[in-house]
Amino acid sequence: MGFGMGLSKSLYELQQIDLELQRKQQLLDETERNLGESEALIEARAQFASLKSHLAGVETKQKDADWEVEDLANKVKQLKDKLYGGTVKNPKELVSLEHEREILQKQLREKEDALLDLMAEAESTRDKLRQGSQSLKETESKWRQEQEVLLQKQAQLKKELTELNHRRDILFAQLDPSSAQLYEQVKSMKGQAVVRVEQGRCQGCRITLAVSEWQRVRTGVIVHCSNCGRILHLE
């Protein structure tokens, strides 16, 4: 009788270890899924890189516009020198030069306006970059802190899993082969092999045990629930 109760107790303890192993492994899997770069960090880096790329493009356009403004300003100056330098006397040529100067002057104003817009856009982008840099630093700092916590949690869970597996090995080795096989078979079919009996009920399926089943469980022998097939254990 004592051996039977001891055996069901051992199987129940084995199951408690297995359930704890399962729970810890799920926690470890979840922890390891969260290790590595977070979506927030990836997004912050992508936004920062996009701003840098945009600024580089704007600055290139600004340099080109600077050169075009300078070139047009020189051409306008040369035309003014011709118009008012006294070297050109022909009225038709003077009219033609004045017309050309007006066209170039208009182009110059347009280019200067475009250059001002580019300068404003570059400055605005630099402001966004400064803000983005600060935001990225804060995101990276928060991420590093979270990673440190996760790494500590990972190490702790691995240690606990090692200890639980060691306890399981010791307990499993103490079982006779037929009992160990029985436990594994019921576990593979039912998920939970051993259930307690409380107030005459199987806690696996909540069915009230027949009087004969209840009496056999009380004697300490290994008894399967006639309804769900799990091994019954009485505390």
Side-chain angles (χ1 to χ4, degrees), residues 197-210 213 225-228 232:
V197 175
E198 291 181 3
Q199 296 179 342
R201 286 186 175 188
C202 167
Q203 295 303 297
C205 60
R206 312 299 293 179
I207 294 295
T208 300
L209 301 179
E213 278 185 301
C225 174
S226 59
N227 184 61
C228 68
L232 299 170

Side-chain angles (χ1 to χ4, degrees), residues 2-222:
F3 178 76
M5 288 186 72
L7 182 55
S8 71
K9 185 173 185 294
S10 293
L11 293 179
Y12 185 73
E13 287 176 359
L14 179 63
Q15 178 174 271
Q16 294 306 101
I17 292 173
D18 280 345
L19 290 171
E20 187 66 5
L21 275 168
Q22 183 182 0
R23 190 180 73 83
K24 296 285 186 187
Q25 187 60 53
Q26 287 172 346
L27 285 171
L28 179 60
D29 292 343
E30 183 184 350
T31 300
E32 291 180 339
R33 278 196 300 272
N34 290 324
L35 281 169
E37 294 187 346
S38 65
E39 287 184 13
L41 180 60
I42 292 169
E43 185 179 347
R45 283 179 175 165
Q47 287 178 348
F48 187 70
S50 177
L51 282 170
K52 282 182 75 174
S53 176
H54 180 66
L55 178 60
V58 172
E59 286 177 338
T60 298
K61 288 179 183 177
Q62 187 181 332
K63 286 177 184 176
D64 290 343
D66 267 325
W67 181 85
E68 289 171 355
V69 165
E70 186 179 348
D71 184 55
L72 282 169
N74 286 333
K75 287 178 179 178
V76 169
K77 183 178 180 301
Q78 288 170 6
L79 285 172
K80 280 184 178 179
D81 290 345
K82 278 187 179 182
L83 277 166
Y84 305 116
T87 55
V88 178
K89 305 291 185 181
N90 188 302
K92 282 186 179 180
E93 192 176 346
L94 285 169
V95 169
S96 177
L97 285 171
E98 178 61 29
H99 181 63
E100 188 179 350
R101 186 193 70 79
E102 287 174 357
I103 291 172
L104 287 176
Q105 190 70 50
K106 183 183 176 185
Q107 289 177 354
L108 177 59
R109 284 195 298 269
E110 289 172 352
K111 287 292 178 185
E112 285 174 338
D113 288 344
L115 177 59
L116 287 172
D117 288 342
L118 286 168
M119 289 169 69
E121 187 176 354
E123 188 54 40
S124 171
T125 305
R126 287 189 194 97
D127 286 340
K128 288 176 183 175
L129 259 178
R130 282 189 286 271
Q131 294 168 7
S133 176
Q134 183 60 34
S135 175
L136 180 57
K137 284 177 184 176
E138 290 171 0
T139 302
E140 285 179 333
S141 176
K142 182 181 177 184
W143 172 76
R144 277 192 292 270
Q145 290 171 5
E146 289 171 348
Q147 291 296 295
E148 186 60 35
V149 170
L150 287 169
L151 286 168
Q152 289 173 1
K153 187 176 180 182
Q154 180 192 40
Q156 180 63 29
L157 285 167
K158 284 184 174 180
K159 180 184 175 185
E160 290 171 1
L161 281 166
T162 300
E163 291 170 354
L164 282 167
N165 275 308
H166 180 63
R167 282 173 54 197
R168 187 188 197 278
D169 290 344
I170 292 172
L171 187 55
F172 199 79
Q174 293 172 353
L175 297 172
D176 63 274
S178 61
S179 297
Q181 185 180 7
L182 173 66
Y183 172 80
E184 294 293 357
Q185 283 177 344
V186 179
K187 178 186 172 187
S188 66
M189 289 187 295
K190 300 293 181 179
Q192 189 173 351
V194 188
V195 291
R196 289 181 302 165
V197 175
E198 291 181 3
Q199 296 179 342
R201 286 186 175 188
C202 167
Q203 295 303 297
C205 60
R206 312 299 293 179
I207 294 295
T208 300
L209 301 179
V211 174
S212 58
E213 278 185 301
W214 170 239
Q215 287 175 341
R216 286 176 63 217
V217 173
R218 292 192 67 182
T219 65
V221 297
I222 295 298

